Amino acid sequence: MLSLPAEFEQFHWMVDMVQHVDVGLVVLDRNYTVHVWNGFMTHHSGKQSHEAIGKSIFELFPEIPQPWFEAKTKPVFELGCRSFLIWRQRPYLFKCRNVRPITQQAPYMYQNVTLNPMTSPKGEVDYLFLAVEDATAEAMAEQ
């Protein structure tokens, strides 16, 4: 049996986790081009990774107000700090279907989104990643 180097095995595990974690993971550059689109995002948005990667987030989701989103990402890119979007301020960033229409009567998925800087070895932030959480159950419990 062929043995794989430990680093390769760990890399494979990381890729598998990114694809199967129950959180949406999206990587954007400073031009808002998508570089990573995980399985959660595919499942909930209906957009396959090959449809999303290489496209502008504003092209994929024209309902996202560009000036508002750029203002939210500015501290992430400029200061390297996190930014947050919570469902109480705006119900969703990505208009995704509610995948539990019987148990949760909501027209779409409510979301909490964390915008995280991705620092290069030189300390520069040229990318950010979005962690998208389904907050529908919480939103429905409050309403």
Side-chain angles (χ1 to χ4, degrees):
M1 182 168 169
L2 184 63
S3 176
L4 297 174
E7 293 85 12
F8 181 78
E9 188 172 27
Q10 288 179 345
F11 176 75
H12 178 74
W13 289 344
M14 292 298 280
V15 170
D16 197 40
M17 284 188 291
V18 165
Q19 285 305 318
H20 295 99
V21 70
D22 199 26
V23 172
L25 297 175
V26 179
V27 173
L28 301 176
D29 63 22
R30 286 181 174 264
N31 294 318
Y32 303 95
T33 302
V34 175
H35 291 269
V36 171
W37 189 260
N38 79 338
F40 178 98
M41 292 304 296
T42 296
H43 175 70
H44 292 284
S45 73
K47 296 179 189 319
Q48 299 295 316
S49 60
H50 70 271
E51 296 173 274
I53 294 173
K55 299 252 175 56
S56 163
I57 201 73
F58 304 115
E59 180 183 342
L60 291 166
F61 293 90
E63 68 272 10
I64 298 174
Q66 189 167 346
W68 168 82
F69 189 67
E70 288 174 350
K72 286 292 195 177
T73 63
K74 187 173 182 175
V76 181
F77 284 124
E78 304 288 323
L79 304 173
C81 62
R82 288 177 157 180
S83 185
F84 302 91
L85 311 173
I86 61 171
W87 69 266
R88 287 178 193 89
Q89 296 169 332
R90 180 178 164 83
Y92 57 82
L93 177 62
F94 303 104
K95 189 162 188 180
C96 295
R97 60 193 168 88
N98 176 19
V99 295
R100 298 181 207 123
I102 294 173
T103 58
Q104 295 175 355
Q105 297 296 317
Y108 45 77
M109 177 201 298
Y110 287 79
Q111 299 162 5
N112 289 328
V113 182
T114 305
L115 293 78
N116 301 279
M118 297 181 76
T119 308
S120 74
K122 294 180 180 179
E124 299 164 351
V125 179
D126 293 321
Y127 297 88
L128 62 80
F129 78 89
L130 307 169
V132 182
E133 297 176 66
D134 183 349
T136 308
E138 178 186 349
M140 292 293 93
E142 281 194 26
Q143 294 177 356

